[in-house]
Every structure is written in C-alpha cells, then in structure tokens.
Amino acid sequence: GNKHTLFENQEFLEKYNLTAYKLDLADMSDSDKEYLADIANISGTPTTVFIENGEETTVLNRIVGSASRKTVIDRLKTMKYIK
C-alpha cells in the first residue's frame, strides 16, 4: 500500500537526525503503561506522539492511525523537525 512507517526507516531518521521509538503496548508492564498514560494518553494504535524534554508537545500534533509518507513529512516540516 501507500502507507509508510518512516519512523522505522533508519536511513530516514539519520538523514534528518531524528530519534524514534516504537512501543508495543502488549509487551509493556502495567507500570510502564501507567507511565506512558501520564505522558501521553493514547486511545488507539498506531499513534505517533512527539515528545520533547519528557513531555508531549501538544496532542494536536499527533498522527493517529496509519499515515501516508507525505502526511508524516508534512507534519515533521510543520513542527520544524525537518526542512
């Protein structure tokens, strides 16, 4: 399909000097899930959350659900993570 997981593409991350972490809720302990809920209450997956200095920048910047490569790149440009 036309959906891309740019955050799992090491070449893309290195090109823009980005760090991404993939969290699988099924593999997390209850305490880790509680900690994640304190930082970013996620209602569904996949959800991309942008965290700076240990806090979510704003819920308005989230990418909820599968997104096209263009959507991800546009969001990263809007947030000034890439040019």
Side-chain angles (χ1 to χ4, degrees), residues 15-54:
K15 177 180 177 180
Y16 293 107
N17 195 27
L18 298 171
T19 303
Y21 299 95
K22 179 180 180 180
L23 304 176
D24 187 338
L25 299 178
D27 294 336
M28 294 176 72
S29 68
D30 289 340
S31 62
D32 286 343
K33 288 178 190 175
E34 289 174 23
Y35 179 72
L36 180 60
D38 287 343
I39 297 171
N41 194 12
I42 296 173
S43 58
T45 60
T47 300
T48 302
V49 178
F50 298 93
I51 296 177
E52 293 180 10
N53 301 317

Side-chain angles (χ1 to χ4, degrees), residues 47-73:
T47 300
T48 302
V49 178
F50 298 93
I51 296 177
E52 293 180 10
N53 301 317
E55 295 184 5
E56 184 172 12
T57 54
T58 171
V59 295
L60 301 177
N61 290 332
R62 287 182 177 193
I63 301 172
V64 178
S66 189
S68 70
R69 180 180 183 93
K70 181 184 182 323
T71 298
V72 172
I73 289 173

